[in-house]
Each structure stands twice: as structure tokens, then as C-alpha cells.
């Protein structure tokens, strides 16, 4: 047990506090199920006294989720503890987490209590918690700014009163790894009964050091880390679960400690939390950002092609991704382009890489990122710039509005042949794309649709980006117009033309993937 670091997930409590609106019972349950699949040790499901909805969430999770300890938060106040105990009644392994501010500023300004009063309140509250369950956690809030003698005094009293876990929170993300190590060392060296409790840490990221502070505390003896998926939490967030877990995993050579988390569930959990909480993840976010396993520079891509370990300290598969991503841009080298062409099914003898690479660079300079379908077009066009579209939108008319069934009529020219179709839909864009499908016969599912304004004012130019899936793969399409339905239809046509190119290519190469 001493060699294991417990992962205490607070996405549903501290993480939820940071959201614009609270999560429903159902949303919390979906995340809790995934946290159990991720095999976290403790789920902090909520703060039962804070609202009837949160009480119900904690209670539902306590009844339904098997595996992890289910924890609820309570101030040192009797009614909080009673509510928490009741909400956790259905849990196989319940834990009450109670806390109080212990820094001078919290005690003087927020609580208006003396040191002695705060210790007495903590002792009383912990004893009450123990009437509901044997597993009780105590947090001296703002420990990072708490005077060290008082911190040691209240921790000792908390353990004596029955607390089984002592959590040392850096509530305002103020500490640094060196200073935090000193605080943790002081707790271990100066609290006589410290061996009767698990020492935990809970670090906020206000100065970007939450993960560094957490793992430093682990190196100094802490055996529980409180963290949240995608680093959600008050203000700049909590230590990110994925960062803490992967640091302990990747640097096992330094820590030599185990964690129970199934790291292959990390990506799935991150995406679920992102979607349910409606909180995007920055592309360069450590471990789970969309660029975390993407290589862009030619030197890096060349290195990775020769040996992944040159630029990858962990495998994409270890966090549940199928593979890394090589961004083909003007920074990519010919080695990378050749390798991608061969992965697409071309035989080395079919192209002269030097000549092709020149054309690739011209396109990349114009376009930025070059996708697989662009490579295929470039290969198939042979000529310098023959990237003609198979289909072009010649006419679009839509009618929609209150009390009208949205209808669209489109005319498309395909290799000299003019076709016209009409369709109804859930809205004008849906009707237009259905009419286009009737002409092309393609089966396309739109996975993502975004509209951005390129200019200001009422007549602003809108840019629509569509990500769509067809049998041939995933394609992106872009369309611009002052009319958003037209911009959407043009973006859809962009997808249609890319599919047409891919179809042509696949017919030609039997081994194309
Ligand atoms: O940041 C903090 O101090 C907390 C406590 C409730 C542990 O979230
Ligand atoms: Zn916190």
C-alpha cells in the first residue's frame, strides 16, 4: 500500500464548481461511470448540502457506482455533515471529506475565528463524520499559506479525532515545488501521529504548477493526489489527472510507485468530460490536447519515422489513442511525404519523390495543412495545378421561416451534365445538403459544423467548416459567403469533391487504404 499512490478524482466537485452551469444527475452519472472504468480510487461526487440536485447526484452515484470509494464534501457544520452522510448512505465504501480554512487570512477575514476555535470545530466535526462512516478526510484549506506550527497542530488534532486521510491543499495555487516539499516534510517530521493517516495533496494551477507541486509532494511521501480530468477546477483549475498519472507512469524510474488507473481510458475520459462539461481542451494541453501526439516539423517527423522514441516519451496507445498524427505542412520533409504516399497505397515506382515534393510544397504554402485527399489529388492531377472539382454548385434556392417547411432546390454541374433536385429538411442547410446528396448519391454524415464570421457588421462574410464522414474516410470542407446557407452548401460541396477524388483514386489503386 505504501508503494501505491491513490488517485482521488474531484472533477465532479471542484471541477464542476468551475462550470457555467451545474451538471445534471444524469451528466454526473455518465462521468462517474467512466471514472470507475478509468479505475480511479476515489470519486468526489459533489457537495450534498449545496443544492438538492447535488444531493441527488451524490446519492445516485453512491448507489450505482461500484469500485471506487464515493466521497462527498462538507464544511465543518453539522447540517453539512448530516446531509453528506445521508447522501452517501447507499455507497459500499463511503467517505466524508470535511474542510476548514486554516491560513491567517481565511480564519481572520472569512471565518472570524481564532486558532483554538477552528481546532475545536474540526475535532467536533470529524467525530460527527465518524458516526456516518469510518473513512474521513480532513482538509486544512489554504494549507499552502497556513502558518506551519498551526498546520501541524490542526493535522495532529484531526488525526486524533478520527480523520483517516489528511489532505494538504494549495487552495490558491501559491506554492512552488520546493516550498511545498518543505510543507509536506514538516507534516511528516513534526506531526507525531502522522503514520495513522494517508497524506494527500490538492493543488490548484494559478501559477501553472499544480502538477509539479503534486508530484513533488508524492516524492516527499504523499500517497493520495487530488486531481481533475482535463485540469478542471476553480479558477485556473486543479492538477490535471492525466498529467499526474502519466508523470508517475512515464517516470517510474524516478518515483517507483504504482497507480491503479487504467491509462488507456484517459483519452476517452477526457473527451467525455470535455463534451459533457462543454469545456474545450486547449490543443497543446499536456497528454490529452489534440496536438499532444502530433508532429509538425520536418526534423521531428523524420526522427519519428526512424524511431518513435526520438520525440515520443509515451505511446499514443498508452492513453487510448490509436496513433500519433503527422501534420503535413511546408515544414514536412520529403521523407515524410513519401512515407504518407506509400501508406495511402502508392508504390514507390509510381512517383518521382523529388518532383512530387516540389508540387507538395507549392500546395502546402498556399493551403497550410495538406490532408490525405489533397495528396491524392496532387498525385492524380499529374499536371502542375489540375485540381478540378467533379461537381460544381450552379444554383441554390431555399425557402424557410416560421410556418414553412424548409425546402431547397439545387442545380449541380458534374462533368458537363446538369442535374437539378429539391429536398425538404430540418432546416435550410439540412434541406440543401439532402438535395445535393440526391444528385451525387453519396452517403455523408456531418460530424462537426462551425460558423465563424470573417468580417464585421451585418453583411459579414461567414466561413463554414464542416467535418464529415463518408465510406471513404473523414473529410473537411470549407465554404465562404455573406449568406450562411450558401456558405454551408459550398462547404458541403467541398466535401463532396474530396470524396469524388478519393473514389477515383481508390478505383485506380487496389491496395489503397
Ligand atoms: O482547494 C481547496 O482547498 C478545496 C478544498 C475543499 C479541499 O477544494
Ligand atoms: Zn480545490
Amino acid at each position: 500500500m505504501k508503494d501505491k499512490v491513490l488517485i482521488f478524482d474531484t472533477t465532479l466537485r471542484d471541477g464542476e464548481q468551475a462550470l457555467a452551469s451545474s451538471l445534471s444527475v444524469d451528466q454526473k452519472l455518465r462521468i462517474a461511470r467512466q471514472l470507475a472504468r478509468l479505475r480511479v480510487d476515489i470519486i468526489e461526487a459533489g457537495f450534498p448540502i449545496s443544492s438538492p440536485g447535488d444531493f441527488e447526484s451524490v446519492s445516485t452515484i453512491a448507489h450505482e457506482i461500484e469500485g471506487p470509494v464515493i466521497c462527498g464534501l462538507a464544511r465543518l457544520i453539522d447540517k453539512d455533515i448530516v446531509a453528506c452522510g445521508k447522501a452517501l448512505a447507499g455507497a459500499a465504501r463511503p467517505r466524508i471529506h470535511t474542510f476548514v480554512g486554516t491560513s491567517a487570512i481565511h480564519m481572520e477575514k472569512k471565518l472570524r475565528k481564532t486558532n483554538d476555535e477552528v481546532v475545536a470545530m474540526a475535532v467536533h466535526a470529524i467525530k460527527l463524520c465518524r458516526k456516518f462512516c469510518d473513512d474521513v478526510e480532513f482538509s486544512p484549506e489554504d494549507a499552502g499559506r497556513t502558518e506551519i506550527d498551526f498546520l501541524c497542530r490542526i493535522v495532529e488534532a484531526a488525526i486524533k479525532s478520527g480523520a483517516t486521510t489528511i489532505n494538504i491543499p494549495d487552495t490558491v495555487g501559491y506554492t512552488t515545488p520546493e516550498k511545498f516539499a518543505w510543507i509536506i516534510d514538516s507534516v511528516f517530521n513534526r506531526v507525531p501521529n502522522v503514520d495513522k493517516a494517508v497524506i494527500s495533496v490538492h493543488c490548484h494551477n494559478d501559477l501553472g504548477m499544480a502538477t509539479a507541486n503534486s508530484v513533488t509532494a508524492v516524492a516527499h511521501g504523499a500517497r493520495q493526489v487530488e486531481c481533475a480530468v482535463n485540469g478542471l477546477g476553480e479558477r485556473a483549475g486543479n492538477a490535471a489527472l492525466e498529467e499526474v498519472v502519466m508523470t508517475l507512469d512515464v517516470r517510474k524510474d524516478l518515483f517507483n510507485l504504482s497507480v491503479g488507473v487504467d491509462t488507456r481510458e484517459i483519452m476517452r475520459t477526457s473527451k467525455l468530460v470535455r463534451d459533457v462539461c462543454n469545456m474545450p481542451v486547449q490543443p497543446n494541453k499536456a497528454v490529452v490536447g489534440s496536438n499532444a501526439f502530433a508532429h509538425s516539423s520536418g526534423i521531428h517527423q523524420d526522427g519519428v519515422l526512424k524511431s518513435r522514441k526520438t520525440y515520443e516519451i509515451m505511446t499514443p496507445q498508452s492513453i487510448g489513442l490509436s496513433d500519433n498524427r503527422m501534420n503535413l505542412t511546408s515544414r514536412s520533409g520529403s521523407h515524410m511525404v513519401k512515407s504518407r504516399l506509400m501508406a495511402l497505397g502508392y508504390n514507390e515506382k509510381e512517383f518521382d519523390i523529388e518532383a512530387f515534393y516540389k508540387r507538395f510544397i507549392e500546395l502546402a504554402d498556399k493551403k497550410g495543412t495538406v490532408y490525405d485527399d489533397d495528396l491524392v489529388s496532387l498525385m492524380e492531377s499529374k499536371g502542375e495545378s489540375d485540381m478540378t472539382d467533379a461537381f460544381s454548385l450552379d444554383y441554390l434556392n431555399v425557402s424557410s421561416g416560421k410556418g414553412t417547411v424548409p425546402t431547397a432546390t439545387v442545380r449541380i454541374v458534374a462533368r458537363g451534365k446538369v442535374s437539378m433536385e429539391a429536398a425538404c429538411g430540418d432546416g435550410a442547410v439540412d434541406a440543401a445538403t439532402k438535395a445535393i446528396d440526391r444528385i451525387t448519391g453519396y452517403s455523408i454524415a456531418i460530424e462537426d459544423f462551425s460558423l465563424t464570421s470573417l468580417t464585421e457588421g451585418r453583411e459579414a462574410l461567414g466561413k463554414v467548416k464542416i467535418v464529415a464522414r463518408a465510406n471513404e474516410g473523414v473529410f473537411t470542407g470549407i465554404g465562404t459567403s455573406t449568406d450562411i446557407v450558401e456558405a454551408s452548401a459550398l462547404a458541403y460541396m467541398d466535401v463532396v469533391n474530396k470524396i469524388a477524388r478519393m473514389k477515383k483514386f481508390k478505383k485506380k489503386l487496389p491496395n489503397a487504404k
Side-chain angles (χ1 to χ4, degrees):
M1 181 63 189
K2 283 256 157 71
D3 294 340
K4 183 175 178 193
V5 179
L6 300 170
I7 298 298
F8 176 114
D9 181 90
T10 187
T11 310
L12 297 177
R13 199 278 297 166
D14 213 319
E16 196 217 19
Q17 281 170 214
L19 304 180
S21 54
S22 45
L23 299 173
S24 66
V25 177
D26 191 51
Q27 287 172 318
K28 278 201 164 192
L29 196 55
R30 279 177 66 198
I31 294 178
R33 284 197 191 109
Q34 180 56 29
L35 290 172
R37 221 170 284 139
L38 180 66
R39 295 216 299 263
V40 301
D41 298 285
I42 302 109
I43 295 176
E44 189 168 43
F47 194 174
I49 196 73
S50 66
S51 71
D54 217 30
F55 182 96
E56 199 191 331
S57 295
V58 176
S59 170
T60 310
I61 290 170
H63 277 97
E64 293 207 14
I65 302 297
E66 284 172 17
V69 168
I70 307 298
C71 175
L73 186 68
R75 291 167 295 181
L76 298 184
I77 302 169
D78 287 8
K79 68 173 177 16
D80 281 36
I81 295 167
V82 172
C84 200
K86 284 187 181 159
L88 292 169
R93 295 196 294 150
R95 173 183 294 187
I96 300 180
H97 176 191
T98 189
F99 72 102
V100 67
T102 52
S103 61
I105 184 148
H106 275 230
M107 290 190 296
E108 279 164 29
K109 306 284 180 204
K110 190 177 81 172
L111 304 171
R112 296 180 206 280
K113 300 267 183 230
T114 64
N115 290 12
D116 290 349
E117 284 169 329
V118 170
V119 173
M121 282 164 65
V123 168
H124 166 81
I126 292 164
K127 287 185 176 160
L128 180 58
C129 293
R130 285 295 299 249
K131 296 203 168 128
F132 291 93
C133 57
D134 293 340
D135 188 350
V136 174
E137 173 169 330
F138 172 69
S139 287
E141 190 193 9
D142 203 16
R145 294 189 299 174
T146 296
E147 194 264 316
I148 198 71
D149 289 343
F150 184 58
L151 183 65
C152 293
R153 176 183 164 199
I154 199 161
V155 166
E156 182 182 350
I159 298 174
K160 207 164 156 202
S161 317
T164 45
T165 298
I166 297 292
N167 180 43
I168 307 292
D170 180 28
T171 305
V172 288
Y174 181 70
T175 200
T176 60
E178 210 176 20
K179 175 77 178 159
F180 203 42
W182 175 81
I183 295 173
I184 301 298
D185 284 348
S186 304
V187 168
F188 275 110
N189 295 332
R190 294 178 49 185
V191 175
N193 52 1
V194 70
D195 58 323
K196 308 255 174 338
V198 172
I199 299 300
S200 163
V201 288
H202 173 115
C203 299
H204 279 266
N205 206 29
D206 299 66
L207 294 173
M209 285 183 281
T211 300
N213 288 332
S214 303
V215 298
T216 301
V218 168
H220 284 254
R223 287 295 175 266
Q224 174 179 290
V225 177
E226 302 199 355
C227 43
V229 176
N230 299 339
L232 285 187
E234 283 281 353
R235 306 178 309 282
N238 282 84
L241 178 146
E242 61 278 8
E243 294 174 15
V244 171
V245 168
M246 290 316 286
T247 302
L248 297 177
D249 187 67
V250 172
R251 299 312 310 267
K252 207 167 173 29
D253 59 324
L254 296 179
F255 295 95
N256 198 21
L257 294 166
S258 67
V259 271
V261 164
D262 179 354
T263 64
R264 291 162 308 173
E265 289 292 329
I266 284 180
M267 205 60 217
R268 194 200 306 269
T269 316
S270 164
K271 286 187 174 161
L272 179 74
V273 169
R274 176 199 67 189
D275 295 343
V276 172
C277 298
N278 200 12
M279 270 288 230
V281 173
Q282 74 192 60
N284 60 333
K285 165 81 186 61
V287 184
V288 292
S290 56
N291 281 351
F293 290 89
H295 304 283
S296 294
S297 102
I299 295 172
H300 289 210
Q301 289 179 343
D302 186 53
V304 171
L305 285 177
K306 288 171 177 151
S307 164
R308 284 175 170 249
K309 286 192 175 165
T310 52
Y311 291 99
E312 281 178 10
I313 58 164
M314 52 193 150
T315 64
Q317 292 79 12
S318 66
I319 61 144
L321 274 176
S322 57
D323 210 346
N324 61 16
R325 202 180 73 227
M326 299 290 204
N327 288 332
L328 286 186
T329 66
S330 57
R331 292 181 297 277
S332 302
S334 60
H335 187 189
M336 181 62 230
V337 175
K338 181 176 163 188
S339 139
R340 196 66 217 135
L341 283 175
M342 290 172 71
L344 280 168
Y346 288 100
N347 188 307
E348 212 175 332
K349 290 186 198 112
E350 278 183 85
F351 55 89
D352 166 4
I353 187 63
E354 267 183 42
F356 185 84
Y357 185 65
K358 273 194 201 135
R359 295 172 56 217
F360 164 83
I361 290 291
E362 274 168 28
L363 181 65
D365 272 342
K366 276 191 223 139
K367 198 172 177 284
T369 302
V370 176
Y371 294 98
D372 285 355
D373 50 275
D374 297 317
L375 280 184
V376 171
S377 304
L378 212 52
M379 271 303 271
E380 299 307 292
S381 65
K382 301 286 183 213
E384 293 309 301
S385 59
D386 179 19
M387 305 265 289
T388 43
D389 288 341
F391 300 92
S392 75
L393 184 65
D394 185 47
Y395 170 86
L396 168 71
N397 185 19
V398 288
S399 75
S400 67
K402 208 164 181 279
T404 315
V405 176
T407 315
T409 309
V410 298
R411 190 166 60 219
I412 286 178
V413 183
R415 296 173 199 100
K417 188 173 160 239
V418 181
S419 312
M420 194 139 149
E421 273 292 353
C424 304
D426 285 339
V429 174
D430 188 44
T433 58
K434 280 192 174 130
I436 295 171
D437 288 348
R438 285 194 177 162
I439 294 177
T440 62
Y442 295 172
S443 161
I444 303 172
I446 296 182
E447 292 198 337
D448 196 36
F449 178 98
S450 61
L451 169 68
T452 39
S453 165
L454 295 178
T455 49
E456 283 179 19
R458 279 172 183 243
E459 290 302 307
L461 202 56
K463 178 169 131 183
V464 169
K465 183 173 173 198
I466 288 176
V467 179
R469 186 176 289 277
N471 293 336
E472 291 71 22
V474 179
F475 300 84
T476 56
I478 293 195
T480 346
S481 170
T482 48
D483 179 315
I484 57 170
V485 180
E486 186 179 317
S488 310
L490 289 171
Y492 199 72
M493 289 300 293
D494 196 18
V495 169
V496 161
N497 280 309
K498 287 177 174 172
I499 296 174
R501 277 185 214 123
M502 192 60 98
K503 277 183 182 291
K504 201 169 141 199
F505 160 67
K506 289 205 165 175
K507 245 188 235 156
K508 196 185 144 223
L509 289 180
N511 56 340
K513 284 177 201 146

